[in-house]
């Protein structure tokens, strides 16, 4: 039981670090978020528009 608790603790810590790394990547690499602008995630510039 103690081993499962330790593994769960490490898993939660790893998820927290991964989330912080993803947040830092999004903040420093992307364009600033402006209210009202559509969200473009990994979209090719020459992709067709279906709307």
């Amino acid at each position: 039981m103690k081993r499962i608790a330790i593994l769960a603790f490490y898993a939660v810590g790893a998820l927290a670090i991964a989330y912080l790394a993803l947040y830092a990547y999004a903040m420093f690499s992307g364009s600033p978020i402006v209210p009202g602008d559509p969200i473009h995630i990994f979209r090719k510039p020459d992709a067709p528009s279906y709307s």
Side-chain angles (χ1 to χ4, degrees), residues 5-26:
I6 291 172
L7 288 175
F9 181 76
Y10 283 137
V12 169
L15 284 174
I17 291 172
Y19 177 79
L20 288 174
L22 183 62
Y23 179 77
Y25 172 75

Side-chain angles (χ1 to χ4, degrees), residues 40 42-51:
H40 300 288
F42 303 116
R43 182 166 172 82
K44 294 180 181 178
D46 57 346
S49 176
Y50 295 108
S51 57

Side-chain angles (χ1 to χ4, degrees), residues 24-47:
Y25 172 75
M27 290 303 293
F28 293 119
S29 68
S31 59
I33 298 174
V34 178
D37 283 350
I39 298 173
H40 300 288
I41 300 174
F42 303 116
R43 182 166 172 82
K44 294 180 181 178
D46 57 346

